[in-house]
Each structure stands twice: as structure tokens, then as C-alpha cells.
Amino acid sequence: MAFFCPMRFIAKQFKQILLTSAFLLYAGVAMSQVKHKPVVKKTAMAKPVSNQLKDFYHLTAAANVVFTFPPGFKEIPVLNNEDFSFDYAIELPGHDFEIWFQVKSQKSDWAEYLQVKNDLSKQLENPDSLYIGMGRAQAASFTGGQDYLTRTIPQDILARYNASAGKTYLLNLQDLPETKHYKYALLITLQKNHIGTILAICFTNDKGPDFFKNINRVNKCLKFKR
């Protein structure tokens, strides 16, 4: 699933979501120095990393993906069952907004595909196209097979994530306890040739401008390495 500019009210094309600017990088605190008086620098306490996040970092590293935890968010338990299998999840407290991530390495699939691609008895689907089926399957699971709106992500936007291809899906969700009865979701898939796939789904109860502002908070939290 980054991942992670002014917003327009529910743009007709979802590329507006990914056209938003990256997060502002906070500058470090400047340490002043007084003559004849040494300055004592305070060492910031590192935030403990949960086992869930450690596991996610292993998955992102295997897929050549960089994950930067977005400020203001907190980790939540991830849903991983036979119907909905995800690797990591976060929410924005007080905003009815959360994101689930799924990251998969395609390196071994690509190596296997190259070995058998000329063998007619062992033909495999090109791993570089698997993100399409993944997106459709997730969209069907969350909507119960209802129609949804999909868009192909333009190349200039993909370049910001070092991705080769990608799609977005706007979903009207089934009323399910697994999804905490959220009403809407934006599903985003990103794929890097021969390397891996990112899938992120953003949940909301109101798909107005605040939804897209919240997405803007995380629009660069996941991306592929160059």
C-alpha cells in the first residue's frame, strides 16, 4: 500500500489525491550556544517499535519499499483473515480515518516466471500484472461485487513513488463489522516492475474535502526505492 497543495472538492479523477504535495519535513531544533557556557544537548527518547511494525518493516525491505510512519497517526491492530489479509494498519485519532497496507515482493515470482516463460506447459502470469488482479479482488471483497470507479495513475505521479504502474478505486463499502462499518474507501495499488506491489486502502465515513486532506497527510509514507 506509500506509499503515504491545495485540495479540490472530490475531483473527478483520483489523480488529484496523489497530486498533493509531500509532507513538510520538520527542521531540527537549533541549539544555541552561549559564550563560556557549554550547551548540554538533550537526547530524544526513541519511540518503541512494536512487533507489528517490525514485521511490516521486514516485508517492506523485501519489496524494496520505504515506509515512513506519518506524524499524528497511531498504530492499530491489523485485520488478517481468509477474507481480508493485510500487513499493517494506522488511524488518525478523532477523524474517522484509517489506512490498511499490504506489501508484497514479486522478486521470486519474477525469477520463476523467467525460468518457465518459454515452456508452454508451465506458463505463468507475468508478475508485473498481478497488481491489477489484486486490486480487483480487494475491491470486490470490500464492495460485495458492486460497481466501483477506477482510474489509472498517470506516469508523472507514479514517478513520485518510483513505481511503474498503478490504479485507484473509489468504493462504496458493504456494511461489515470487519471494516468497522465504514461507508467509503479509496483503494490504491502501486507496482514496480520485477520488484513488488503496494496496496493501501483508506477508510472514511465522509468522502468530502477532509477525506482528501487526510490522505494528503500520508501521500508519501510508502514508496519504492529507486
Side-chain angles (χ1 to χ4, degrees):
M1 89 173 295
F3 96 231
F4 322 38
C5 118
M7 300 299 302
R8 297 180 179 178
F9 180 75
I10 312 180
K12 290 183 179 180
Q13 296 188 354
F14 295 152
K15 72 175 184 178
Q16 294 295 331
I17 299 161
L18 295 174
L19 282 170
T20 55
S21 59
F23 295 113
L24 296 176
L25 297 176
Y26 289 99
V29 178
M31 301 299 292
S32 60
Q33 197 168 15
V34 180
K35 189 176 182 179
H36 303 307
K37 291 183 180 181
V39 176
V40 178
K41 295 183 178 181
K42 295 182 179 180
T43 303
M45 295 293 291
K47 185 178 179 180
V49 177
S50 69
N51 289 332
Q52 185 171 290
L53 184 53
K54 287 179 182 177
D55 292 341
F56 188 52
Y57 279 142
H58 286 305
L59 292 173
T60 57
N64 283 37
V65 169
V66 178
F67 175 68
T68 304
F69 198 98
F73 283 75
K74 75 172 187 177
E75 178 184 289
I76 57 176
V78 65
L79 185 62
N80 187 358
N81 58 33
E82 61 182 11
D83 296 317
F84 304 104
S85 179
F86 285 81
D87 304 314
Y88 196 65
I90 56 177
E91 71 172 2
L92 186 60
H95 288 261
D96 271 345
F97 178 76
E98 62 185 71
I99 307 178
W100 301 355
F101 301 104
Q102 184 186 95
V103 175
K104 292 186 179 298
S105 171
Q106 304 291 356
K107 296 174 186 176
S108 61
D109 293 333
W110 179 253
E112 184 180 1
Y113 172 76
L114 290 179
Q115 289 178 349
V116 303
K117 71 173 185 176
N118 294 322
D119 188 339
L120 297 180
S121 66
K122 298 180 181 180
Q123 283 191 329
L124 298 176
E125 183 178 358
N126 187 328
D128 290 342
S129 65
L130 292 179
Y131 79 98
I132 299 174
M134 290 171 59
R136 289 174 178 169
Q138 292 290 355
S141 295
F142 283 110
T143 63
Q146 300 178 50
D147 290 339
Y148 48 83
L149 191 59
T150 182
R151 291 287 185 272
T152 298
I153 300 174
Q155 287 297 321
D156 59 325
I157 305 304
L158 293 172
R160 302 183 186 186
Y161 299 88
N162 303 317
S164 306
K167 290 183 177 294
T168 60
Y169 308 78
L170 185 62
L171 312 176
N172 292 320
L173 301 174
Q174 297 185 82
D175 187 11
L176 297 173
E178 292 90 342
T179 57
K180 305 176 186 177
H181 304 285
Y182 275 109
K183 296 178 180 178
Y184 312 106
L186 179 72
L187 175 64
I188 303 167
T189 59
L190 293 170
Q191 177 262 334
K192 189 173 180 67
N193 287 342
H194 318 338
I195 301 297
T197 303
I198 296 171
L199 188 149
I201 183 163
C202 311
F203 295 94
T204 185
N205 287 316
D206 182 0
K207 53 184 178 181
D210 284 344
F211 178 44
F212 297 103
K213 289 179 182 178
N214 291 333
I215 291 174
N216 186 40
R217 293 171 180 252
V218 293
N219 70 349
K220 281 293 182 71
C221 71
L222 272 179
K223 66 178 181 179
F224 291 103
K225 297 178 183 178
R226 292 189 179 277

